Amino acid sequence: MNAEDGGSRRCILVTNNEVAEKQAKQLNAGGVFPGDAEFEKYGICESVTWPRCKYVTQGFRDDGTPCQASTWTAGR
């Protein structure tokens, strides 16, 4: 978009790595707690936010399928 309109947009994304309460209870019952890699991989940042940002900036998903342009312009 910056190239199209001469803009200088930047983004600072702030998120946490919260795990859904039900999932957290299941993990805790199994002896897995916040800070453990096994716990953190279920957090919103690691499982949703980071992959989405990576796909959009790369233009394709991990399986090689391209991201659709409409994904980038939703809400415009």
Side-chain angles (χ1 to χ4, degrees):
M1 288 174 33
N2 287 337
E4 294 175 6
D5 65 10
S8 59
R9 293 173 193 83
R10 292 181 178 216
C11 175
I12 297 174
L13 175 65
V14 179
T15 186
N16 63 19
N17 201 34
E18 185 176 0
V19 174
E21 184 177 357
K22 183 178 178 180
Q23 180 74 46
K25 286 180 180 181
Q26 290 174 341
L27 290 165
N28 293 161
V32 181
F33 298 94
D36 296 341
E38 181 65 19
F39 186 96
E40 298 300 327
K41 76 178 187 179
Y42 293 102
I44 190 76
C45 183
E46 288 194 31
S47 66
V48 178
T49 307
W50 170 247
R52 285 181 181 172
C53 290
K54 182 176 73 168
Y55 302 155
V56 170
T57 57
Q58 291 178 344
F60 56 89
R61 295 176 181 82
D62 285 342
D63 66 3
T65 58
C67 292
Q68 300 297 321
S70 62
T71 302
W72 304 342
T73 58
R76 270 174 92 187

